[in-house]
Amino acid sequence: MVWPGLHCRVSVTPLKNSDPSAKAPFRPVLNFPQVIFLEIGLAICMPKELFGTDGIRGVPGTAPLDDATLYATGRSLGAYLRRENPKPHVLIGMDTRESGPHIAALLAAGLAQSGASVAFAGVITTPGVACLVRQSDFQTGVVVSASHNPFYDNGVKLFSHAGIKFPDSVEEALEADIFNHRSGVPPKNVPTLVADESLDAEYLAFLRGRVIPGAKLAGLRIVLDCANGAAYKLGPELFRSLGADVVAIDASPDGRNINAGCGSLHLEGLQKRVVAERATLGVAFDGDADRALFVTETGRIVNGDGVLLAAARFLKSQNKLAGNRVVATSMSNLGLERALAREGISLARANVGDRYVLEEMLRSGSVLGGEQSGHIIFLDDSPAGDGLLTATKIASLVSLHGRLESLIDGFKDYPQVILNVKVRSKPPLDSLPEVSRALAEARSTLGESGRVVLRYSGTEPLARIMVEAEHDADVQRLSRSLAAALRSSIGA
């Protein structure tokens, strides 16, 4: 099956990390889990059935998050890990969804059945698990979370010992084995997992060590929107321990209010609170806190593009921006590319998804990359997009250089629209004549003064349309035309 924009990968993926400096700031080295690319553009690949762009996603109690599949996932993961280590040690963490404890317990039961031992971090951020796995003796990390999705969704994400999401090749191998094990009967009464709270302290110590030298957060008034998610305790604790005056909002999870009208997808409440509190800075996390968006003291929103610009300018001033290059995705605004160009910094674009940003960073030797949505990777510190780490870096820059708005001075966001169209299937986009005509018209109209990105979501039955241009009228007209063509051709 042909999937436009999908790259096939030939991967060599040794699971064990033999880097002796694993506890030091992250450095990409060849004996980390490697991904060697064979890029073939419009590739012929069979899509995975369980794993999407960010692990397994679904509605708990239904496939692929039914009990049998979850138990089989634990069994298959344990069996896979035992090929490298006869006694694998696995860390499991979760966000605040009410379905999390049951899913985590089923995965742990499957792992135990395959001979793996399990430690449970309880509620912790996704990048927190990635950090702990990399710094400790865990062979793999498992996160039970659906990130920014509503509470009724959940998911399973896997991290290697290097703190990197499993590559496609490993997920494909696991998927085949999961299907083989899915006929097994899961235990009726899985034991409740007990959290090891010392793991929080280890992760917080890592984050405190990532404050930019010379920065003093004491006296900064910061509003944190914790999305009633995984950062609800860790976020306020981190910044209070650094001396900041913290106002925490949406920090009372009840299992169902994660991401509900709050967090990085709903910034209106944070904007009002920052202005009302006369705060220096506002930060919004998503449910598992692997992304962070910001609000300035005047209420202006700064997304991942603005963060990349501010961080790139600082790193270049310190001669620490390798290759004077930043990695972003096809969704990042044209304004970022042009602002960076004025600074003598090039922008490389990867497919959407923080795993693909990381792959391009490792391939090109870049140290800074991320997504407009707020996944930012500071590779000298961690290979994982980490909202708390990003917030620590931006708060440090504000401490050193003043207001956040001044850090992104000269950045112009080109008018941009992102539309989601529900689809009943995902055929190759270039096989749909009406869609192809609308796309060709849009690209011809915009020329070099704008961009169009059309792709399928990796986790939902959606087609995503992004149009940006110098003039908003063009953006609105062309995005509506593309949406109409999609609805007519494959709309749900």
Side-chain angles (χ1 to χ4, degrees):
M1 184 177 292
V2 179
W3 289 79
L6 181 65
H7 289 120
C8 276
R9 288 174 172 77
V10 175
S11 302
V12 178
T13 316
L15 189 63
K16 294 178 69 177
N17 170 24
S18 56
D19 176 33
S21 64
K23 294 180 183 294
F26 180 81
R27 294 292 188 276
V29 293
L30 288 180
N31 57 4
F32 268 74
Q34 300 164 34
V35 182
I36 300 174
F37 302 103
L38 177 62
E39 302 264 353
I40 22 185
L42 298 184
I44 299 177
C45 298
M46 290 304 294
K48 293 172 290 185
E49 295 182 50
L50 294 180
F51 289 90
T53 56
D54 200 14
I56 301 171
R57 289 277 180 93
V59 177
T62 66
L65 296 184
D66 56 290
D67 287 6
T69 304
L70 290 166
Y71 182 60
T73 299
R75 290 183 62 189
S76 298
L77 177 60
Y80 176 82
L81 297 177
R82 288 190 64 192
R83 299 176 195 171
E84 294 288 331
N85 186 328
K87 296 182 179 180
H89 194 33
V90 178
L91 176 63
I92 298 179
M94 65 183 188
D95 65 24
T96 57
R97 292 163 213 271
E98 63 181 10
S99 58
H102 180 69
I103 293 173
L106 279 167
L107 292 166
L111 284 160
Q113 198 279 336
S114 291
S117 62
V118 173
F120 184 49
V123 173
I124 191 171
T125 68
T126 290
V129 169
C131 171
L132 292 168
V133 167
R134 186 170 64 85
Q135 296 199 140
S136 302
D137 64 345
F138 301 107
Q139 195 173 350
T140 289
V142 180
V143 181
V144 179
S145 173
S147 189
H148 56 278
N149 284 24
F151 85 93
Y152 47 76
D153 290 333
N154 217 324
V156 178
K157 306 179 187 182
L158 305 178
F159 289 86
S160 75
H161 182 53
I164 297 173
K165 290 178 181 177
F166 277 27
D168 292 343
S169 59
V170 176
E171 290 182 347
E172 289 163 5
L174 283 173
E175 189 168 287
D177 199 48
I178 290 168
F179 285 127
N180 291 334
H181 282 114
R182 198 157 58 171
S183 59
V185 179
K188 291 184 179 180
N189 297 307
V190 292
T192 301
L193 299 177
V194 178
D196 179 354
E197 296 184 359
S198 69
L199 294 168
D200 282 358
E202 184 178 342
Y203 176 47
L204 289 172
F206 163 82
L207 291 168
R208 283 192 289 267
R210 269 58 197 175
V211 173
I212 295 174
K216 304 293 183 184
L217 272 60
L220 291 185
R221 189 165 178 79
I222 301 176
V223 181
L224 301 179
D225 183 341
C226 301
N228 292 313
Y232 85 99
K233 286 193 304 184
L234 293 172
E237 185 174 346
L238 169 65
F239 284 98
R240 285 173 182 144
S241 73
L242 293 171
D245 178 10
V246 175
V247 178
I249 63 175
D250 301 306
S252 301
D254 62 11
R256 294 190 164 208
N257 59 0
I258 186 171
N259 300 314
C262 58
S264 61
L265 293 183
H266 305 278
L267 295 169
E268 301 84 2
L270 178 62
Q271 289 176 284
K272 293 177 182 177
R273 193 65 179 268
V274 167
V275 174
E277 296 283 350
R278 297 185 178 180
T280 311
L281 187 66
V283 188
F285 305 108
D286 65 334
D288 68 338
D290 60 355
R291 66 175 70 178
L293 297 181
F294 297 84
V295 170
T296 72
E297 60 187 359
T298 64
R300 177 183 174 184
I301 293 172
V302 177
N303 64 17
D305 287 348
V307 171
L308 287 174
L309 177 60
R313 283 172 166 169
F314 173 75
L315 289 173
K316 187 183 180 189
S317 74
Q318 304 296 303
N319 295 317
K320 293 182 178 179
L321 187 64
N324 286 331
R325 178 178 50 251
V326 172
V327 177
T329 75
S330 57
M331 304 302 282
S332 281
N333 196 276
L334 183 62
L336 171 64
E337 187 170 352
R338 295 189 173 176
L340 289 172
R342 290 194 295 270
E343 308 274 346
I345 300 170
S346 63
L347 181 70
R349 293 186 185 269
N351 288 340
V352 173
D354 58 333
R355 69 164 60 193
Y356 303 122
V357 171
L358 176 61
E359 288 173 0
E360 175 60 25
M361 292 174 71
L362 293 172
R363 188 197 67 78
S364 63
S366 304
V367 297
L368 177 65
E371 299 187 273
Q372 190 181 65
S373 60
H375 288 107
I376 308 296
I377 299 174
F378 295 89
L379 196 54
D380 280 342
D381 298 290
S382 170
D386 187 333
L388 289 173
L389 175 63
T390 301
T392 301
K393 296 292 187 183
I394 292 300
S396 295
L397 290 178
V398 169
S399 165
L400 290 169
H401 299 291
R403 301 162 59 245
L404 177 55
E405 289 194 19
S406 68
L407 298 176
I408 58 171
D409 184 54
F411 176 41
K412 174 192 173 184
D413 253 330
Y414 279 70
Q416 183 185 83
V417 163
I418 298 175
L419 297 179
N420 294 323
V421 176
K422 288 188 177 182
V423 297
R424 61 181 179 268
S425 61
K426 295 182 179 180
L429 291 166
D430 59 2
S431 71
L432 305 172
E434 190 173 350
V435 173
S436 294
R437 284 193 295 271
L439 187 59
E441 178 194 351
R443 287 176 172 161
S444 173
T445 299
L446 295 177
E448 296 297 317
S449 64
R451 295 189 311 122
V452 179
V453 177
L454 187 60
R455 67 183 183 88
Y456 291 119
S457 167
T459 59
E460 300 174 88
L462 298 173
R464 302 197 193 280
I465 303 163
M466 189 282 289
V467 180
E468 64 183 8
E470 294 180 353
H471 305 293
D472 186 63
D474 289 333
V475 170
Q476 300 299 329
R477 178 176 62 82
L478 296 173
S479 62
R480 287 195 297 267
S481 173
L482 284 163
L486 279 165
R487 292 191 187 101
S488 173
S489 301
I490 52 172

